[in-house]
Amino acid sequence: MGYNVIDLINKAINISIRKQHIYENIKQQKGDIPYMEIVLTVLIKQIDKTIKYYEILKNEVANKDFEEIDLGVYDKISFLINEFNQKISEPQINNVRNFLEFSLNLEKDTYALFIDVQGRFVKNASDINTNTYIILTNIINKKADFITTLEENIKWR
């Protein structure tokens, strides 16, 4: 059995879990700052929602036939995602604005990663009509919406 979109969703879940751990560690360190605690709580809840969305997506596609991802393409995608996970690290946070900017940059990097993954999946024009491409598009659109929300909150601060 080859690789398919469920494998990509599992990798997206792992990225979200990694972010969640970082945010929880920051919350333990900076939780005594009231606004920081509120922001962290909201972001952790957003990550929970994202993970639940991915789990629901996995359940929806589990019993359907999906296109297999070429082993060479999957290997490159897997390498990119593993490299991305390794570069995610807990920052030194001085204030809420600094943290929001870190979060925004992390989400933008994740967004760029998903676009890169989607782009590597496409080998010809018909690939944009596949279920895998459509699911990746939905994931990317959700990420773009969240980035917009973060940007609005940074402007507000």
Side-chain angles (χ1 to χ4, degrees):
M1 184 175 135
Y3 297 104
N4 64 28
V5 72
I6 292 175
D7 298 296
L8 297 179
I9 295 170
N10 284 331
K11 290 195 174 289
I13 290 170
N14 290 337
I15 290 170
S16 293
I17 290 170
R18 179 110 166 90
K19 288 180 199 177
Q20 191 173 44
H21 287 293
I22 289 172
Y23 289 172
E24 287 170 350
N25 286 340
I26 294 170
K27 188 174 181 181
Q28 286 178 343
Q29 295 169 11
K30 303 291 183 176
D32 58 337
I33 303 168
Y35 193 71
M36 181 70 86
E37 182 180 11
I38 293 168
V39 169
L40 282 160
T41 300
V42 168
L43 288 174
I44 290 169
K45 283 183 181 182
Q46 180 61 39
I47 292 172
D48 283 338
K49 285 181 186 178
T50 300
I51 291 170
K52 285 177 186 166
Y53 167 73
Y54 292 151
E55 291 292 345
I56 290 168
L57 200 54
K58 261 179 40 175
N59 289 334
E60 288 176 1
V61 301
N63 298 324
K64 297 179 182 174
D65 278 338
F66 275 87
E67 310 82 19
E68 284 192 9
I69 300 172
D70 177 75
L71 181 61
V73 171
Y74 184 80
D75 187 48
K76 289 176 187 174
I77 289 170
S78 187
F79 177 78
L80 281 174
I81 293 171
N82 290 338
E83 191 175 70
F84 178 81
N85 272 328
Q86 288 177 0
K87 82 172 190 169
I88 297 175
S89 62
E90 194 171 314
Q92 294 296 322
I93 301 298
N94 301 321
N95 56 52
V96 175
R97 182 171 184 80
N98 179 260
F99 174 70
L100 285 172
E101 288 172 356
F102 161 77
S103 297
L104 176 62
N105 289 331
L106 182 56
E107 293 304 322
K108 284 181 176 181
D109 289 346
T110 307
Y111 175 79
L113 173 68
F114 289 144
I115 288 175
D116 191 359
V117 166
Q118 186 184 44
R120 289 173 190 270
F121 178 72
V122 176
K123 294 296 179 196
N124 59 54
S126 65
D127 287 340
I128 64 171
N129 298 317
T130 63
N131 291 322
T132 301
Y133 186 89
I134 292 166
I135 288 171
L136 288 170
T137 299
N138 291 336
I139 290 171
I140 289 167
N141 289 340
K142 280 195 168 290
K143 187 61 58 188
D145 291 343
F146 185 57
I147 288 169
T148 300
T149 301
L150 279 175
E151 287 172 335
E152 289 169 0
N153 281 305
I154 289 175
K155 288 178 191 174
W156 179 78
R157 285 288 294 149

